[in-house]
Amino acid sequence: MNWQQIIRSGALAGLTPSEIWELELWEYNAFISAYEERRKVDAANAIMTGYYAAYYTNAGKRAKSPNELIRQLFSRKQTQGEGMQDIERFKKAEQRRN
């Protein structure tokens, strides 16, 4: 992960670049993890909304169960250690340049 990806991830989560650099590594990681979890919950809600819309529109004849989609959504594990190592490596490189 390079600094552009760190800034991009933070921006998607609603952080400005200055806010990103002010955060400790654990704070940044916690913020991004919480943001990813919120996105999954929002996606699960959208899947359920689509399911019920299809169920009531088609009288339940062709509506597919959303359980498998939601299970797949939440089964993907995020590796927090890898992201933290990339951020630490980038910060060390920045310190060496300064």
Side-chain angles (χ1 to χ4, degrees):
M1 178 178 274
N2 62 27
W3 65 272
Q4 292 168 335
Q5 291 170 323
I6 293 169
I7 298 290
R8 184 175 183 275
S9 296
L12 287 173
L15 295 171
T16 63
S18 61
E19 291 173 330
I20 292 169
W21 297 122
E22 291 173 4
L23 292 173
E24 295 288 328
L25 292 176
W26 70 268
E27 292 172 319
Y28 177 81
N29 192 39
F31 192 88
I32 297 300
S33 295
Y35 174 73
E36 288 295 323
E37 188 67 24
R38 186 179 73 201
R39 285 184 50 199
K40 288 179 184 178
V41 169
D42 290 345
N45 287 334
I47 290 168
M48 290 301 294
T49 300
Y51 168 74
Y52 284 116
Y55 182 83
Y56 288 112
T57 302
N58 296 323
K61 294 178 184 173
R62 293 181 295 245
K64 295 181 181 176
S65 175
N67 294 338
E68 184 58 33
L69 288 173
I70 294 172
R71 190 175 302 112
Q72 288 174 3
L73 181 69
F74 282 95
S75 67
R76 188 178 139 253
K77 296 293 179 186
Q78 189 177 22
T79 59
Q80 296 176 0
E82 290 176 4
M84 299 241 343
Q85 290 172 355
D86 290 336
I87 294 169
E88 288 174 6
R89 190 176 24 229
F90 179 75
K91 285 195 172 188
K92 286 178 184 176
E94 285 289 311
Q95 289 174 352
R96 279 183 274 174
R97 280 189 230 150
N98 296 332

